[in-house]
Amino acid sequence: MATATQAAASAGGPNRHTQNQGYRLDFEDVTRPATNAFIALTGPANAGKTYTSLAMATGMGTNIGVCDTERGRASHYAGLFPFKHLRMPDFRPQTLVQALAIGAQREIDVMIIDSGTHYWSGRGGVLEQVDRTTDASRSKNAFTSGWKSVKPIEHQMWDAIMAFPGHVIMTLRVKTAYELVRNDSGGVEPKKVGLKPDQRADAEYEFDFVGDLDMSHTMTVSKCSYPGLFESGERIELPDTETGAKIAQWLNEGTPMPTVQHYVTRVMKPETTYEQCLALFRGELSQRGLLGAALFAPDTQEQTTLGGLVARVGAERRAAAESGQTDGSAG
């Protein structure tokens, strides 16, 4: 799958004609856009992460999908909540991206990833792929070989998650967190400081809302980027459909924004030019973080990204225009 940089190159990239045009840089009156939720629910085993995600999702949309990495456990709730179920065959980030593309095609409006931990520390996840790539390399150096190869794959996964055309709820397992502290003898020793999500260290920064569930199924809000909706540290006993509906209502009150499907339709119109594709790629899609949205191309049905589609169509329109100019001059 092409990266955003490769896609930009395919779309033409800066040349003598375009490199000095630059971007339109100016300050504008701010409005709050209507956006999709990006929620993390963390907690130990049996804290109710799956149930809570389904309850909240039911209040947020009508077409719910679950990417299930927990041995099909979400299906236990089939009689309680209406949802579509996909039992994930492996924990490779590439497979999750494919599942998100299928979800977009099926018009899933709330996607539950249960759980996101497996794509980090599970079999076939990011950490295992780094180890395998490192072991197969000449240098045996994880930073120059393993991470260099796998980090772009991880970025593609997160880009696809955050650009999904619907609400996303990801559950995360937690593990014991330690920090090194000085002891009485002047040395250092590990000290237990609590629990943290089993994902990459900065994963929580990606989410708009993070709720930590305990064994009594009470959720403590540790992060909320929705002003006036929930306070940090607020405790919600047995979060349910109403909790999800409250978040969705707040998000829907913003100014409506074009959807991923809107951009796909716009790009696929025969009259859309290379220049328009390039401007869309560099401008609106880049600014909104939608280049990595996973989808299937409407003309070829190949799995790609929104950025990859725009780049390919733009290149085709450019080649067609240049071919027409050549034929015209020859005549």
Side-chain angles (χ1 to χ4, degrees):
M1 185 182 296
T3 64
T5 302
Q6 292 169 332
S10 300
N15 54 43
R16 291 182 180 178
H17 177 68
T18 62
Q19 65 184 354
N20 294 322
Q21 290 182 357
Y23 298 100
R24 179 180 176 272
L25 193 63
D26 198 2
F27 290 93
E28 299 177 350
D29 292 335
V30 66
T31 58
R32 176 162 69 87
T35 58
N36 293 313
F38 193 30
I39 296 170
L41 298 179
T42 77
N46 298 318
K49 297 186 294 297
T50 304
Y51 180 95
T52 302
S53 65
L54 285 166
M56 291 178 63
T58 302
M60 300 175 74
T62 57
N63 193 11
I64 301 166
V66 179
C67 293
D68 189 343
T69 69
E70 301 283 356
R71 304 177 186 271
R73 195 171 300 158
S75 62
H76 297 173
Y77 301 105
L80 298 177
F81 305 102
F83 62 93
K84 293 181 173 63
H85 185 244
L86 174 57
R87 185 165 179 163
M88 300 302 292
D90 59 61
F91 307 143
R92 300 183 312 122
Q94 300 93 322
T95 306
L96 179 57
V97 173
Q98 182 181 8
L100 293 171
I102 295 171
Q105 189 177 54
R106 299 288 187 271
E107 298 184 343
I108 298 293
D109 56 14
V110 188
M111 180 65 79
I112 297 172
I113 303 171
D114 184 35
S115 87
T117 291
H118 292 84
Y119 297 102
W120 174 251
S121 57
R123 188 173 300 172
V126 170
L127 294 181
E128 185 173 289
Q129 289 196 34
V130 169
D131 289 341
R132 287 181 180 177
T133 306
T134 301
D135 291 343
S137 69
R138 256 184 215 180
S139 67
K140 308 297 182 185
N141 186 308
F143 292 99
T144 60
S145 298
W147 281 109
K148 183 178 180 180
S149 299
V150 179
K151 201 66 178 175
I153 296 172
E154 184 189 17
H155 285 320
Q156 289 168 14
M157 178 188 73
W158 282 103
D159 286 347
I161 292 170
M162 292 186 287
F164 182 75
H167 302 300
V168 174
I169 302 175
M170 179 185 288
T171 68
L172 293 170
R173 295 180 177 184
V174 294
K175 61 182 180 180
T176 304
Y178 295 88
E179 66 179 16
L180 294 176
V181 297
R182 290 203 171 275
N183 54 31
D184 295 338
S185 61
V188 294
E189 62 182 20
K191 178 183 178 182
K192 181 178 177 180
V193 293
L195 299 173
K196 68 176 182 178
D198 188 1
Q199 244 293 343
R200 72 182 195 190
D202 60 347
E204 289 183 80
Y205 290 101
E206 306 289 0
F207 297 95
D208 300 319
F209 181 96
V210 180
D212 303 323
L213 291 161
D214 61 24
M215 298 305 291
S216 67
H217 312 313
T218 296
M219 180 171 70
T220 301
V221 178
S222 61
K223 177 182 179 181
C224 181
S225 300
Y226 314 135
L229 197 59
F230 297 103
E231 296 295 331
S232 180
E234 182 175 343
R235 290 171 60 82
I236 304 172
E237 294 186 10
L238 302 176
D240 55 15
T241 300
E242 185 177 342
T243 310
K246 188 175 180 180
I247 292 174
Q249 180 180 353
W250 189 93
L251 292 169
N252 290 336
E253 288 172 354
T255 303
M257 301 293 288
T259 63
V260 169
Q261 184 55 48
H262 165 86
Y263 291 118
V264 171
T265 302
R266 178 172 160 187
V267 168
M268 297 305 297
K269 289 181 179 179
E271 62 268 25
T272 301
T273 66
Y274 157 71
E275 289 77 13
Q276 290 171 329
C277 287
L278 184 61
L280 188 62
F281 187 103
R282 290 178 168 179
E284 211 169 326
L285 297 183
S286 179
Q287 292 163 8
R288 292 188 60 196
L290 295 179
L291 292 174
L295 50 84
F296 291 95
D299 53 347
T300 66
Q301 288 305 305
E302 293 180 347
Q303 184 186 337
T304 183
T305 62
L306 181 55
L309 176 68
V310 175
R312 175 176 65 80
V313 172
E316 291 172 354
R317 302 289 165 82
R318 182 182 190 182
E322 291 176 347
S323 175
Q325 291 173 358
T326 301
D327 293 343
S329 61

